[in-house]
Amino acid sequence: MTKQSHWIAGINAVSAAIEHDAEHVREVLLEAGGKNPRLSAIEVEARRKDIDVRRVGQQALDGVAGGLRHQGAAARYAAVKTWDERELPALVEAAAGRALVLVLDGVQDPHNFGACLRSAAAAGVTAVVIPKDKAVQVNATVRKTSAGAADIVPVVRASNLARVLRELQKLGVWIYGLAADTDTSLYGLDLRGNVALVLGGEAEGLRRLTREHCDGLAAIPMPGGFESLNVSVATGVVLFEAVRQRQGS
């Protein structure tokens, strides 16, 4: 597990961090003599929130941006704690047979991801697993939307999601994927004990390989006729069904 500062670059990225997550912005670098009026707006807002601002040359910005297009703005940003997939077994074992793992297979929208993390924290989830690629990571918008949950819930970044699912199965975790094309109801599952609940991204849902590594698939019954729910809403439904079943067990 690591927690460190890193540099974010670009006017939009720096503005979003200052607006949504100022407490984690350590300093802002702006290009000396930069003509874009948004640079001045960033400086005013940063100073208003007591963030250190320095005007520097383009070469200094190039150095911290690491090849990213910085547009004259960069900020040193305190990253959230990140968990390596090799640390997941210890988290599961520490749950003493009652692990509840949320796996998000390719969620792209930071507001959805933040809302999922908020539900995960409220439900006492053991860990949230996300792919390192083709999925939104924890950024300023996610932190803001999660209302602090992004700094509480262990977020495990998996370089190979299928491999992580196999490892969870070896640890005695039952894995259930949420899918619309099944007759099995979520409410018919036994969600006590060690369980991982897998939800797909906004566009594609569960990817084929992810589905193949689930022990079973289930759907949320929807008498109203809608085919699917927003992923953050669905996450809340499935997690609190697990919470309901675990109460008193």
Side-chain angles (χ1 to χ4, degrees):
M1 179 181 65
T2 60
K3 186 175 183 178
Q4 58 188 5
S5 294
H6 67 273
W7 288 93
I8 58 176
I11 288 175
N12 287 338
V14 173
S15 295
I18 294 170
E19 178 183 357
H20 298 307
D21 201 24
E23 65 179 298
H24 293 105
V25 180
R26 299 294 177 250
E27 65 176 318
V28 173
L29 303 185
L30 298 175
E31 184 178 358
K35 303 300 183 184
N36 192 323
R38 293 186 65 192
L39 296 179
S40 297
I42 288 174
E43 181 170 10
V44 169
E45 186 64 11
R47 293 192 186 282
R48 189 179 72 82
K49 295 185 176 180
D50 296 322
I51 300 169
D52 290 336
V53 179
R54 288 192 290 142
R55 288 280 184 168
V56 299
Q58 184 174 346
Q59 187 174 2
L61 283 164
D62 291 342
V64 299
L68 296 175
R69 183 166 174 261
H70 56 70
Q71 302 169 296
R76 187 161 59 85
Y77 186 66
V80 297
K81 295 177 181 178
T82 58
W83 297 73
D84 187 271
E85 60 192 74
R86 291 170 294 184
E87 298 175 280
L88 186 57
L91 291 170
V92 171
E93 290 168 7
R98 293 177 61 86
L100 178 58
V101 178
L102 174 64
V103 181
L104 299 174
D105 182 23
V107 172
Q108 302 286 338
D109 186 277
H111 296 92
N112 280 335
F113 185 28
C116 289
L117 290 177
R118 189 170 182 173
S119 293
V125 161
T126 305
V128 176
V129 180
I130 62 172
K132 284 185 177 179
D133 300 317
K134 298 181 179 179
V136 67
Q137 305 299 304
V138 179
N139 57 27
T141 303
V142 172
R143 268 180 159 166
K144 174 70 173 179
T145 309
S146 76
D151 292 282
I152 298 171
V153 180
V155 177
V156 178
R157 298 171 69 233
S159 56
N160 186 316
L161 194 57
R163 180 177 64 216
V164 169
L165 294 178
R166 289 195 298 269
E167 290 301 317
L168 285 172
Q169 289 169 327
K170 291 177 183 177
L171 293 167
V173 178
W174 287 89
I175 299 174
Y176 298 108
L178 196 67
D181 58 344
T182 177
D183 293 329
T184 301
S185 169
L186 166 70
Y187 305 120
L189 300 179
D190 183 352
L191 300 179
R192 297 167 295 178
N194 288 328
V195 172
L197 299 169
V198 189
L199 289 90
E202 298 91 345
E204 301 178 13
L206 291 180
R207 292 178 293 176
R208 178 188 58 81
L209 194 58
T210 303
R211 291 172 66 106
E212 291 176 356
H213 283 83
C214 292
D215 294 304
L217 299 174
I220 299 172
M222 284 181 276
F226 273 75
E227 293 184 1
S228 63
L229 296 173
N230 173 283
V231 63
S232 62
V233 175
T235 294
V237 172
V238 298
L239 288 180
F240 280 92
E241 171 59 16
V243 169
R244 183 192 69 79
Q245 292 188 21
R246 289 159 183 251
Q247 288 179 339
S249 64

Coordinates of all heavy atoms in Angstrom, one line a residue, residues 100-195:
L100 N -16.6 -9.0 2.0 CA -17.5 -8.5 1.0 C -16.7 -7.6 0.1 O -16.3 -6.6 0.4 CB -18.7 -7.7 1.7 CG -19.7 -7.1 0.7 CD1 -20.4 -8.2 -0.1 CD2 -20.8 -6.3 1.5
V101 N -16.5 -8.2 -1.1 CA -15.6 -7.5 -2.1 C -16.5 -7.0 -3.2 O -17.4 -7.7 -3.8 CB -14.6 -8.4 -2.6 CG1 -13.7 -7.7 -3.7 CG2 -13.7 -9.0 -1.5
L102 N -16.3 -5.7 -3.6 CA -17.0 -5.1 -4.8 C -16.0 -5.1 -5.9 O -14.9 -4.5 -5.8 CB -17.5 -3.7 -4.4 CG -18.1 -3.0 -5.6 CD1 -19.4 -3.6 -6.1 CD2 -18.4 -1.5 -5.2
V103 N -16.3 -5.6 -7.1 CA -15.5 -5.6 -8.3 C -16.2 -4.8 -9.3 O -17.4 -5.1 -9.7 CB -15.2 -7.0 -8.8 CG1 -14.3 -6.9 -10.0 CG2 -14.6 -7.9 -7.7
L104 N -15.6 -3.7 -9.8 CA -16.1 -2.9 -10.8 C -15.4 -3.1 -12.1 O -14.2 -2.7 -12.2 CB -16.1 -1.4 -10.4 CG -16.9 -1.1 -9.1 CD1 -16.7 0.3 -8.7 CD2 -18.4 -1.4 -9.3
D105 N -16.0 -3.6 -13.1 CA -15.3 -4.0 -14.3 C -15.5 -3.0 -15.4 O -16.3 -3.1 -16.3 CB -15.9 -5.4 -14.8 CG -15.2 -5.9 -16.1 OD1 -14.1 -5.5 -16.3 OD2 -15.9 -6.7 -16.8
G106 N -14.7 -1.9 -15.3 CA -14.6 -0.9 -16.3 C -15.6 0.2 -16.2 O -16.0 0.8 -17.2
V107 N -15.8 0.7 -15.0 CA -16.6 1.9 -14.8 C -15.8 3.1 -15.3 O -14.7 3.3 -14.9 CB -17.0 2.1 -13.3 CG1 -17.7 3.5 -13.1 CG2 -18.0 1.0 -12.9
Q108 N -16.4 3.9 -16.1 CA -15.7 5.0 -16.8 C -16.0 6.4 -16.2 O -15.2 7.3 -16.3 CB -16.1 5.1 -18.3 CG -15.8 3.8 -19.1 CD -14.3 3.6 -19.3 OE1 -13.5 4.6 -19.3 NE2 -13.9 2.4 -19.5
D109 N -17.2 6.6 -15.7 CA -17.6 7.9 -15.2 C -17.2 8.1 -13.7 O -17.5 7.3 -12.9 CB -19.2 8.0 -15.3 CG -19.7 9.4 -15.0 OD1 -19.8 9.7 -13.7 OD2 -19.9 10.2 -15.9
P110 N -16.5 9.2 -13.5 CA -16.0 9.4 -12.1 C -17.1 9.7 -11.1 O -16.9 9.3 -9.9 CB -15.1 10.7 -12.3 CG -15.5 11.3 -13.5 CD -16.0 10.2 -14.4
H111 N -18.2 10.2 -11.5 CA -19.3 10.4 -10.6 C -19.9 9.1 -10.2 O -20.3 8.9 -9.1 CB -20.4 11.3 -11.2 CG -19.9 12.7 -11.5 ND1 -19.3 13.1 -12.7 CD2 -19.8 13.8 -10.7 CE1 -19.0 14.4 -12.7 NE2 -19.3 14.8 -11.5
N112 N -20.1 8.2 -11.2 CA -20.6 6.8 -10.9 C -19.6 6.1 -9.9 O -20.0 5.5 -9.0 CB -20.7 6.0 -12.2 CG -22.0 6.3 -12.9 OD1 -23.0 6.8 -12.3 ND2 -22.0 6.1 -14.2
F113 N -18.3 6.2 -10.2 CA -17.3 5.5 -9.4 C -17.3 6.1 -8.0 O -17.3 5.3 -7.0 CB -15.9 5.7 -10.0 CG -14.8 4.9 -9.3 CD1 -15.1 3.7 -8.6 CD2 -13.5 5.3 -9.4 CE1 -14.1 3.0 -7.9 CE2 -12.5 4.6 -8.7 CZ -12.8 3.5 -8.0
G114 N -17.4 7.4 -7.9 CA -17.5 8.0 -6.5 C -18.7 7.6 -5.8 O -18.6 7.3 -4.5
A115 N -19.8 7.5 -6.4 CA -21.1 7.0 -5.8 C -21.0 5.6 -5.4 O -21.4 5.2 -4.3 CB -22.3 7.3 -6.7
C116 N -20.3 4.8 -6.2 CA -20.1 3.3 -5.8 C -19.2 3.2 -4.6 O -19.5 2.4 -3.7 CB -19.4 2.6 -7.0 SG -20.5 2.3 -8.4
L117 N -18.2 4.0 -4.5 CA -17.3 4.0 -3.3 C -18.1 4.4 -2.1 O -17.9 3.9 -1.0 CB -16.1 4.9 -3.5 CG -15.1 4.4 -4.6 CD1 -14.0 5.4 -4.7 CD2 -14.5 3.1 -4.1
R118 N -18.9 5.4 -2.2 CA -19.7 5.9 -1.1 C -20.6 4.8 -0.6 O -20.7 4.5 0.7 CB -20.6 7.1 -1.5 CG -21.3 7.8 -0.3 CD -21.8 9.1 -0.8 NE -22.5 9.8 0.3 CZ -22.9 11.1 0.2 NH1 -22.9 11.7 -0.9 NH2 -23.5 11.7 1.3
S119 N -21.3 4.0 -1.5 CA -22.1 2.9 -1.1 C -21.3 1.8 -0.4 O -21.7 1.2 0.6 CB -22.9 2.3 -2.3 OG -23.8 3.3 -2.7
A120 N -20.1 1.6 -1.0 CA -19.2 0.5 -0.5 C -18.8 0.8 0.9 O -18.7 0.0 1.8 CB -17.9 0.4 -1.4
A121 N -18.4 2.1 1.2 CA -18.1 2.5 2.6 C -19.2 2.3 3.5 O -19.1 1.8 4.7 CB -17.6 3.9 2.6
A122 N -20.4 2.7 3.1 CA -21.6 2.6 4.0 C -21.9 1.1 4.3 O -22.4 0.8 5.4 CB -22.8 3.3 3.3
A123 N -21.6 0.2 3.3 CA -21.9 -1.2 3.5 C -20.8 -1.9 4.2 O -21.0 -3.2 4.4 CB -22.2 -1.8 2.1
G124 N -19.7 -1.3 4.5 CA -18.6 -2.0 5.2 C -17.9 -2.9 4.3 O -17.4 -4.0 4.7
V125 N -17.7 -2.6 3.0 CA -17.1 -3.5 2.0 C -15.6 -3.6 2.4 O -14.9 -2.7 2.9 CB -17.2 -2.9 0.6 CG1 -16.2 -3.4 -0.3 CG2 -18.6 -3.1 0.1
T126 N -15.1 -4.9 2.2 CA -13.7 -5.2 2.5 C -12.7 -4.5 1.6 O -11.7 -4.0 2.0 CB -13.5 -6.7 2.5 OG1 -14.5 -7.4 3.3 CG2 -12.1 -7.1 2.8
A127 N -13.1 -4.5 0.3 CA -12.2 -3.9 -0.7 C -13.0 -3.7 -2.0 O -14.0 -4.4 -2.2 CB -11.0 -4.8 -1.0
V128 N -12.6 -2.7 -2.8 CA -13.1 -2.5 -4.1 C -12.0 -2.7 -5.1 O -10.9 -2.2 -5.0 CB -13.7 -1.0 -4.3 CG1 -14.1 -0.8 -5.7 CG2 -14.8 -0.8 -3.3
V129 N -12.3 -3.6 -6.1 CA -11.3 -4.0 -7.1 C -11.7 -3.3 -8.4 O -12.8 -3.4 -8.9 CB -11.2 -5.5 -7.2 CG1 -10.1 -5.9 -8.3 CG2 -10.9 -6.2 -5.9
I130 N -10.7 -2.6 -9.0 CA -10.9 -2.0 -10.3 C -9.7 -2.4 -11.2 O -8.6 -2.6 -10.8 CB -11.0 -0.5 -10.2 CG1 -9.7 0.1 -9.7 CG2 -12.2 -0.1 -9.4 CD1 -9.7 1.6 -9.7
P131 N -9.9 -2.4 -12.5 CA -8.8 -2.6 -13.5 C -7.9 -1.4 -13.5 O -8.4 -0.3 -13.4 CB -9.5 -2.9 -14.8 CG -11.0 -3.0 -14.5 CD -11.2 -2.3 -13.3
K132 N -6.6 -1.6 -13.8 CA -5.7 -0.5 -13.9 C -5.9 0.2 -15.2 O -5.7 1.4 -15.4 CB -4.3 -1.0 -13.9 CG -3.8 -1.4 -12.5 CD -2.3 -1.7 -12.5 CE -1.8 -2.0 -11.1 NZ -0.4 -2.4 -11.1
D133 N -6.5 -0.5 -16.2 CA -6.7 0.0 -17.6 C -8.1 0.1 -17.9 O -8.9 -0.7 -17.4 CB -5.9 -0.8 -18.6 CG -4.4 -0.8 -18.4 OD1 -3.8 0.3 -18.0 OD2 -3.8 -1.9 -18.5
K134 N -8.5 1.0 -18.8 CA -9.9 1.1 -19.4 C -10.9 1.3 -18.3 O -12.0 0.7 -18.4 CB -10.2 -0.1 -20.2 CG -9.3 -0.2 -21.5 CD -9.6 -1.4 -22.3 CE -8.7 -1.5 -23.5 NZ -9.0 -2.6 -24.4
A135 N -10.6 2.0 -17.2 CA -11.5 2.3 -16.2 C -11.0 3.6 -15.5 O -9.8 3.9 -15.4 CB -11.6 1.2 -15.1
V136 N -12.0 4.4 -15.0 CA -11.6 5.6 -14.3 C -10.9 5.2 -13.0 O -11.2 4.2 -12.3 CB -12.9 6.4 -14.0 CG1 -13.8 5.8 -13.0 CG2 -12.5 7.8 -13.5
Q137 N -9.9 6.0 -12.7 CA -9.1 5.8 -11.4 C -9.6 6.9 -10.4 O -10.4 7.7 -10.7 CB -7.6 5.9 -11.7 CG -7.1 5.0 -12.8 CD -7.3 3.5 -12.5 OE1 -6.8 3.0 -11.5 NE2 -8.0 2.8 -13.4
V138 N -9.1 6.8 -9.2 CA -9.5 7.7 -8.2 C -8.8 9.1 -8.5 O -7.6 9.2 -8.4 CB -9.1 7.2 -6.8 CG1 -9.5 8.3 -5.7 CG2 -9.7 5.9 -6.5
N139 N -9.7 10.1 -8.8 CA -9.2 11.4 -9.1 C -10.0 12.4 -8.2 O -10.7 12.0 -7.3 CB -9.3 11.7 -10.6 CG -10.7 11.6 -11.1 OD1 -11.7 11.7 -10.4 ND2 -10.9 11.3 -12.4
A140 N -9.8 13.7 -8.5 CA -10.4 14.7 -7.7 C -11.9 14.6 -7.7 O -12.6 14.8 -6.7 CB -10.0 16.1 -8.1
T141 N -12.5 14.4 -8.9 CA -14.0 14.3 -9.0 C -14.5 13.0 -8.2 O -15.5 13.1 -7.6 CB -14.4 14.2 -10.5 OG1 -13.9 15.3 -11.2 CG2 -15.9 14.2 -10.6
V142 N -13.8 11.9 -8.4 CA -14.2 10.7 -7.6 C -14.1 11.0 -6.1 O -15.1 10.6 -5.4 CB -13.2 9.5 -8.0 CG1 -13.5 8.3 -7.1 CG2 -13.4 9.1 -9.4
R143 N -13.1 11.6 -5.7 CA -13.0 11.9 -4.2 C -14.1 12.8 -3.8 O -14.7 12.6 -2.7 CB -11.6 12.6 -4.0 CG -10.5 11.7 -3.6 CD -9.3 12.5 -3.3 NE -8.3 11.8 -2.5 CZ -7.0 12.1 -2.4 NH1 -6.6 13.2 -3.0 NH2 -6.2 11.4 -1.6
K144 N -14.4 13.8 -4.6 CA -15.5 14.7 -4.2 C -16.9 14.0 -4.1 O -17.6 14.1 -3.2 CB -15.6 15.9 -5.2 CG -16.8 16.8 -5.0 CD -16.6 17.7 -3.8 CE -17.7 18.7 -3.8 NZ -17.6 19.6 -2.6
T145 N -17.1 13.2 -5.2 CA -18.4 12.5 -5.2 C -18.5 11.4 -4.1 O -19.6 11.1 -3.6 CB -18.6 11.8 -6.6 OG1 -18.3 12.8 -7.6 CG2 -20.0 11.3 -6.8
S146 N -17.4 10.8 -3.8 CA -17.5 9.8 -2.8 C -17.7 10.3 -1.3 O -17.9 9.5 -0.4 CB -16.2 8.9 -2.8 OG -15.1 9.6 -2.2
A147 N -17.6 11.6 -1.1 CA -17.8 12.2 0.2 C -16.8 11.6 1.2 O -17.2 11.4 2.4 CB -19.2 12.0 0.6
G148 N -15.6 11.4 0.8 CA -14.5 10.9 1.7 C -14.3 9.4 1.6 O -13.3 8.9 2.2
A149 N -15.2 8.7 1.0 CA -15.1 7.2 1.0 C -13.9 6.7 0.2 O -13.3 5.7 0.6 CB -16.3 6.6 0.4
A150 N -13.4 7.5 -0.7 CA -12.2 7.1 -1.5 C -11.0 7.0 -0.6 O -10.0 6.3 -1.0 CB -12.0 8.1 -2.7
D151 N -11.0 7.7 0.5 CA -9.8 7.7 1.4 C -10.0 6.7 2.5 O -9.2 6.5 3.4 CB -9.6 9.1 2.0 CG -9.1 10.0 0.9 OD1 -7.9 10.0 0.6 OD2 -9.9 10.8 0.5
I152 N -11.2 6.0 2.5 CA -11.5 5.0 3.6 C -11.5 3.6 3.1 O -10.9 2.7 3.7 CB -12.9 5.3 4.2 CG1 -12.9 6.7 4.8 CG2 -13.3 4.3 5.2 CD1 -14.3 7.2 5.2
V153 N -12.1 3.3 1.9 CA -12.3 2.0 1.4 C -11.0 1.6 0.7 O -10.5 2.4 -0.2 CB -13.5 1.9 0.5 CG1 -13.6 0.5 -0.1 CG2 -14.8 2.3 1.2
P154 N -10.4 0.4 0.9 CA -9.3 0.0 0.1 C -9.7 -0.2 -1.3 O -10.5 -1.0 -1.6 CB -8.9 -1.4 0.8 CG -9.4 -1.3 2.2 CD -10.7 -0.5 2.1
V155 N -9.0 0.5 -2.2 CA -9.2 0.4 -3.6 C -8.0 -0.4 -4.2 O -6.9 0.1 -4.2 CB -9.4 1.7 -4.3 CG1 -9.6 1.5 -5.9 CG2 -10.6 2.5 -3.8
V156 N -8.3 -1.6 -4.7 CA -7.2 -2.4 -5.3 C -7.2 -2.3 -6.8 O -8.2 -2.6 -7.4 CB -7.5 -3.9 -4.9 CG1 -6.4 -4.8 -5.5 CG2 -7.5 -4.0 -3.3
R157 N -6.1 -1.9 -7.3 CA -6.0 -1.8 -8.8 C -5.4 -3.1 -9.4 O -4.3 -3.5 -9.0 CB -5.1 -0.6 -9.1 CG -5.7 0.7 -8.6 CD -4.7 1.9 -8.8 NE -4.5 2.2 -10.2 CZ -3.3 2.3 -10.8 NH1 -2.2 2.0 -10.1 NH2 -3.2 2.6 -12.0
A158 N -6.1 -3.8 -10.2 CA -5.7 -5.1 -10.8 C -5.2 -4.9 -12.2 O -5.9 -4.4 -13.0 CB -6.9 -6.0 -10.7
S159 N -4.0 -5.4 -12.4 CA -3.5 -5.4 -13.8 C -4.1 -6.5 -14.6 O -4.2 -6.4 -15.8 CB -2.0 -5.6 -13.7 OG -1.6 -6.8 -13.1
N160 N -4.7 -7.5 -14.0 CA -5.3 -8.6 -14.7 C -6.5 -9.0 -13.8 O -6.4 -9.8 -12.8 CB -4.4 -9.8 -14.9 CG -5.0 -10.9 -15.7 OD1 -6.2 -11.3 -15.6 ND2 -4.2 -11.4 -16.7
L161 N -7.7 -8.6 -14.2 CA -8.9 -8.8 -13.4 C -9.3 -10.3 -13.3 O -9.7 -10.7 -12.2 CB -10.1 -8.0 -14.0 CG -11.3 -7.8 -13.1 CD1 -10.9 -7.2 -11.7 CD2 -12.4 -7.0 -13.8
A162 N -9.2 -11.0 -14.4 CA -9.5 -12.4 -14.4 C -8.6 -13.2 -13.4 O -9.1 -14.1 -12.7 CB -9.3 -13.0 -15.8
R163 N -7.3 -12.8 -13.4 CA -6.4 -13.5 -12.4 C -6.8 -13.2 -11.0 O -6.8 -14.1 -10.1 CB -5.0 -13.0 -12.7 CG -4.0 -13.7 -11.7 CD -2.6 -13.2 -12.1 NE -2.4 -11.8 -11.9 CZ -1.7 -11.0 -12.6 NH1 -1.0 -11.5 -13.7 NH2 -1.6 -9.7 -12.4
V164 N -7.2 -12.0 -10.7 CA -7.7 -11.6 -9.3 C -8.9 -12.4 -9.0 O -9.0 -12.9 -7.8 CB -7.9 -10.1 -9.2 CG1 -8.6 -9.7 -7.9 CG2 -6.6 -9.3 -9.3
L165 N -9.8 -12.6 -9.9 CA -11.0 -13.3 -9.6 C -10.7 -14.8 -9.3 O -11.3 -15.4 -8.4 CB -12.0 -13.3 -10.8 CG -12.6 -11.9 -11.0 CD1 -13.5 -11.9 -12.3 CD2 -13.4 -11.3 -9.8
R166 N -9.7 -15.4 -10.0 CA -9.3 -16.7 -9.7 C -8.7 -16.8 -8.4 O -8.9 -17.8 -7.6 CB -8.3 -17.2 -10.8 CG -8.9 -17.5 -12.2 CD -8.0 -18.2 -13.1 NE -6.7 -17.5 -13.3 CZ -6.5 -16.7 -14.4 NH1 -7.5 -16.5 -15.2 NH2 -5.4 -16.1 -14.5
E167 N -7.9 -15.8 -8.0 CA -7.2 -15.8 -6.7 C -8.3 -15.7 -5.6 O -8.2 -16.4 -4.5 CB -6.2 -14.7 -6.6 CG -5.0 -14.9 -7.4 CD -4.2 -16.1 -7.1 OE1 -4.1 -16.4 -5.9 OE2 -3.8 -16.8 -8.0
L168 N -9.3 -14.9 -5.8 CA -10.4 -14.8 -4.8 C -11.1 -16.2 -4.6 O -11.4 -16.6 -3.5 CB -11.4 -13.7 -5.2 CG -11.0 -12.3 -5.1 CD1 -12.0 -11.3 -5.7 CD2 -10.8 -11.9 -3.6
Q169 N -11.3 -16.9 -5.7 CA -12.0 -18.2 -5.6 C -11.1 -19.1 -4.8 O -11.6 -19.9 -4.0 CB -12.2 -18.7 -7.0 CG -13.4 -18.0 -7.7 CD -13.5 -18.3 -9.2 OE1 -12.5 -18.6 -9.9 NE2 -14.7 -18.3 -9.7
K170 N -9.8 -19.1 -5.0 CA -8.9 -19.9 -4.2 C -9.0 -19.6 -2.7 O -8.7 -20.5 -1.9 CB -7.5 -19.8 -4.7 CG -7.2 -20.3 -6.1 CD -5.8 -20.1 -6.6 CE -5.5 -20.5 -8.0 NZ -4.2 -20.2 -8.5
L171 N -9.3 -18.4 -2.4 CA -9.4 -18.0 -1.0 C -10.8 -18.3 -0.4 O -11.1 -18.0 0.7 CB -9.2 -16.5 -0.9 CG -7.8 -16.0 -1.2 CD1 -7.7 -14.5 -1.3 CD2 -6.8 -16.4 -0.1
G172 N -11.6 -19.0 -1.2 CA -13.0 -19.4 -0.7 C -14.0 -18.3 -0.9 O -15.0 -18.3 -0.2
V173 N -13.8 -17.4 -1.8 CA -14.8 -16.3 -2.1 C -15.7 -16.7 -3.2 O -15.2 -17.1 -4.3 CB -14.0 -15.0 -2.4 CG1 -15.1 -13.9 -2.7 CG2 -13.1 -14.6 -1.2
W174 N -17.0 -16.6 -3.0 CA -17.9 -16.9 -4.1 C -18.1 -15.6 -4.9 O -18.3 -14.5 -4.3 CB -19.3 -17.4 -3.5 CG -19.2 -18.8 -2.9 CD1 -18.8 -19.2 -1.7 CD2 -19.4 -20.0 -3.7 NE1 -18.8 -20.5 -1.6 CE2 -19.2 -21.1 -2.8 CE3 -19.8 -20.2 -5.0 CZ2 -19.3 -22.4 -3.2 CZ3 -20.0 -21.5 -5.4 CH2 -19.7 -22.6 -4.5
I175 N -18.1 -15.8 -6.2 CA -18.1 -14.6 -7.0 C -19.4 -14.6 -7.9 O -19.7 -15.5 -8.6 CB -16.9 -14.6 -8.0 CG1 -15.6 -14.5 -7.2 CG2 -17.0 -13.4 -9.0 CD1 -14.4 -14.6 -8.0
Y176 N -20.2 -13.5 -7.7 CA -21.5 -13.4 -8.4 C -21.4 -12.1 -9.3 O -21.2 -11.0 -8.8 CB -22.6 -13.3 -7.5 CG -22.8 -14.5 -6.6 CD1 -22.5 -14.6 -5.3 CD2 -23.2 -15.7 -7.2 CE1 -22.6 -15.7 -4.5 CE2 -23.4 -16.9 -6.5 CZ -23.1 -16.9 -5.1 OH -23.2 -18.0 -4.4
G177 N -21.7 -12.2 -10.6 CA -21.8 -11.1 -11.5 C -23.2 -10.6 -11.7 O -24.1 -11.5 -11.7
L178 N -23.4 -9.3 -11.8 CA -24.7 -8.8 -12.1 C -24.9 -8.7 -13.6 O -24.1 -8.0 -14.3 CB -24.8 -7.4 -11.4 CG -26.3 -6.9 -11.3 CD1 -27.0 -7.8 -10.3 CD2 -26.3 -5.5 -10.8
A179 N -26.0 -9.3 -14.1 CA -26.2 -9.3 -15.5 C -27.7 -9.3 -15.8 O -28.5 -9.8 -15.0 CB -25.6 -10.5 -16.2
A180 N -28.1 -8.6 -16.8 CA -29.6 -8.5 -17.1 C -30.1 -9.8 -17.8 O -31.3 -10.1 -17.7 CB -29.9 -7.3 -18.0
D181 N -29.3 -10.5 -18.5 CA -29.7 -11.7 -19.3 C -29.7 -13.0 -18.6 O -29.1 -14.0 -19.0 CB -28.9 -11.8 -20.6 CG -27.4 -11.9 -20.3 OD1 -27.0 -11.6 -19.1 OD2 -26.6 -12.3 -21.2
T182 N -30.2 -13.0 -17.4 CA -30.3 -14.2 -16.6 C -31.7 -14.2 -15.8 O -32.2 -13.2 -15.5 CB -29.2 -14.4 -15.6 OG1 -29.3 -15.6 -14.8 CG2 -29.1 -13.2 -14.7
D183 N -32.2 -15.4 -15.6 CA -33.4 -15.5 -14.8 C -33.2 -15.7 -13.3 O -34.2 -15.7 -12.6 CB -34.2 -16.8 -15.3 CG -34.7 -16.6 -16.8 OD1 -35.0 -15.5 -17.2 OD2 -34.8 -17.6 -17.5
T184 N -31.9 -15.8 -12.9 CA -31.6 -15.9 -11.5 C -31.8 -14.5 -10.8 O -31.2 -13.6 -11.3 CB -30.2 -16.4 -11.3 OG1 -30.1 -17.7 -12.0 CG2 -29.9 -16.6 -9.8
S185 N -32.5 -14.5 -9.8 CA -32.7 -13.2 -9.1 C -31.6 -13.0 -8.0 O -31.2 -14.0 -7.4 CB -34.1 -13.3 -8.3 OG -34.2 -12.2 -7.4
L186 N -31.2 -11.8 -7.9 CA -30.3 -11.4 -6.9 C -30.8 -11.9 -5.5 O -30.0 -12.3 -4.7 CB -30.1 -9.9 -6.8 CG -29.4 -9.3 -5.6 CD1 -27.9 -9.6 -5.6 CD2 -29.6 -7.7 -5.6
Y187 N -32.1 -11.8 -5.3 CA -32.6 -12.1 -3.9 C -32.7 -13.6 -3.7 O -33.0 -14.0 -2.5 CB -34.0 -11.5 -3.8 CG -34.0 -10.0 -4.1 CD1 -34.7 -9.4 -5.1 CD2 -33.1 -9.1 -3.4 CE1 -34.6 -8.1 -5.4 CE2 -33.1 -7.8 -3.6 CZ -33.8 -7.3 -4.7 OH -33.7 -5.9 -4.9
G188 N -32.3 -14.4 -4.7 CA -32.2 -15.9 -4.4 C -30.8 -16.3 -4.1 O -30.6 -17.5 -3.8
L189 N -29.9 -15.4 -4.1 CA -28.5 -15.8 -3.8 C -28.2 -15.8 -2.3 O -28.9 -15.0 -1.5 CB -27.5 -14.8 -4.4 CG -27.5 -14.7 -5.9 CD1 -26.5 -13.6 -6.4 CD2 -27.3 -16.0 -6.6
D190 N -27.3 -16.6 -1.8 CA -26.8 -16.6 -0.5 C -25.6 -15.7 -0.4 O -24.5 -16.0 -0.9 CB -26.5 -18.0 0.0 CG -26.0 -18.0 1.5 OD1 -25.9 -16.9 2.1 OD2 -25.8 -19.1 2.0
L191 N -25.7 -14.5 0.1 CA -24.6 -13.5 0.1 C -24.0 -13.4 1.5 O -23.3 -12.4 1.7 CB -25.2 -12.1 -0.3 CG -25.8 -12.1 -1.8 CD1 -26.3 -10.7 -2.1 CD2 -24.8 -12.6 -2.8
R192 N -24.1 -14.4 2.3 CA -23.4 -14.4 3.6 C -22.0 -15.0 3.3 O -21.8 -15.6 2.2 CB -24.2 -15.2 4.6 CG -25.5 -14.6 4.9 CD -26.4 -15.5 5.7 NE -26.8 -16.7 4.9 CZ -27.5 -17.7 5.3 NH1 -27.9 -17.7 6.6 NH2 -27.8 -18.7 4.5
G193 N -21.1 -15.0 4.2 CA -19.8 -15.5 4.1 C -18.9 -14.7 3.2 O -19.1 -13.5 3.1
N194 N -17.9 -15.3 2.6 CA -17.0 -14.6 1.7 C -17.7 -14.5 0.3 O -17.9 -15.5 -0.4 CB -15.7 -15.3 1.6 CG -14.8 -15.3 2.8 OD1 -14.9 -14.3 3.5 ND2 -14.1 -16.3 3.1
V195 N -17.9 -13.2 -0.1 CA -18.6 -13.0 -1.4 C -18.0 -11.8 -2.1 O -17.6 -10.8 -1.5 CB -20.1 -12.7 -1.1 CG1 -20.8 -12.2 -2.4 CG2 -20.8 -13.9 -0.5

